[in-house]
Amino acid sequence: MYLKFLNPIILEIKKKSNANLFIYFNYSQSRDRGKWRDFPFLDSFNFEHEESVNKRLFFNNLDLEKSLFDEKIDIVYSLLPYNKFNIEKKKLPNTKWYLVQHGIDLFWDIEDIVYCDLIYLYSDYWKSKVQNLLEEKKVKFDLNKIRVSGNPQFNIQINKSEVRKKYNIPKNKKILIFFPFSQPNAYPFEHKLKSYFVKNFIIYPNTGNLLNSLKRQCYYFLGFFLSNEIKILTKIYEFCKKNDYFLIIKSRSKRVLNDDFKIISDLVLYDEQLYPSTIIELLSIADQSIGFISTIPGEASFAECYNYSIFNNFFKKIQNRYLKFFDINYFDFNGVNEVINVKSLFKNLNKNQLKKINLSQNDLFLKKYFNYKSKNNSDWEY
């Protein structure tokens, strides 16, 4: 999945230099869980001139360190600092490690950015955010190592007509995308009781055995009193049928949805393609998107798709954590996106009052958070 973020950089380097490129594939990860759908990695990215790119596997961190040394690698572009691979940098004195921002994952362990030689951030907004967080943590870091470069994923043109054909989406239908919850373990909670309740009665449980089947019955019963995931999705699907929308559910490999979701949608997709990423393709043809707390408002803005972020008191802890790294305007920017509660969302659906994006406001949003100027501008520097 990291290739989704790094592919544009690889392409840019290939276009602007004669560098000998190596792509390192992390085969230390389990095929049984987590990112299992990423395998086989080696087919994930193919080039027009394959002979100019070298592919390497590493099965542990020592393999990686040895290969970087043996291949005399000058620069590593990575989404993770080198300490995450337990690399002893003194053993690679001639290798520079360049860190690339991907969403807000960079900020979970902000102290670790000292383990890089250069860092690429989306915009001055994020540079200021990094500076403030480092001061808060009392971490010393040379700010001259920060380079503002925009979001590499946005260095792309999408053929909307081709996207509809690819996914067999009707030509003249309006499109709404629903982003379900991530895997239940992705969310922190204040205490175990709340965690259990949310994971079983707010997020829709799998129904592969008798116990989970009983949970399902309880889940639907509580839906009369609570706005859980299926209740929200059912309401959205009813709106789509009434107003001639095509409803797409876009999930991730971290959470494989059962067949119940197919009944209340027109199409269920995952990360079917790395570049252009499935999420960018789908948002580019969508009129609106609805989801929970995530970084999706950024991609939706690039794709000119109005986004609704449902904030829910059950997820207050993760919402507060996101708001620490963003400001509220990332999720609630006039004319671009908004934070909404379930009651207000249902009201808007009942009145058919979903909004369209305001392009002039969207330009302001993209400039602030991604240093982005226009779709005709490919002024990214790596």
Side-chain angles (χ1 to χ4, degrees), residues 79-81 83-84 99 102 104-116 119 130 133-134 137 139 321 324-325:
L79 305 185
L80 299 173
N83 68 310
K84 296 297 186 182
L99 191 58
H102 62 300
I104 65 166
D105 287 12
L106 172 73
F107 299 97
W108 298 133
D109 300 304
I110 192 66
E111 302 93 333
D112 288 342
I113 73 165
V114 299
Y115 300 104
C116 73
I119 178 171
V130 166
L133 288 170
L134 290 174
K137 297 284 187 178
V139 176
R321 185 180 293 182
K324 179 180 179 181
F325 300 131

Side-chain angles (χ1 to χ4, degrees), residues 144 149-150 176 181 225 234 238 249 269 358 372 380:
N144 292 318
S149 61
L176 192 150
F181 289 109
F225 311 99
T234 300
E238 290 171 355
I249 298 177
L269 292 172
N358 180 302
Y372 188 82
W380 287 264

Side-chain angles (χ1 to χ4, degrees), residues 264-275:
I264 45 178
S265 69
D266 297 298
L267 183 63
V268 177
L269 292 172
Y270 296 85
D271 294 303
E272 312 298 342
Q273 181 173 294
L274 296 181
Y275 189 78

Side-chain angles (χ1 to χ4, degrees), residues 195-209:
S195 175
Y196 178 84
F197 182 81
V198 172
K199 291 175 182 178
N200 289 280
F201 302 114
I202 300 299
I203 300 173
Y204 191 60
N206 286 326
T207 56
N209 56 47

Side-chain angles (χ1 to χ4, degrees), residues 23-39:
I23 303 180
Y24 281 84
F25 296 84
N26 186 354
Y27 267 62
S28 67
Q29 301 182 67
S30 171
R31 294 187 186 227
D32 299 324
R33 58 188 182 276
K35 298 183 181 295
W36 62 270
R37 293 182 82 243
D38 293 353
F39 291 97

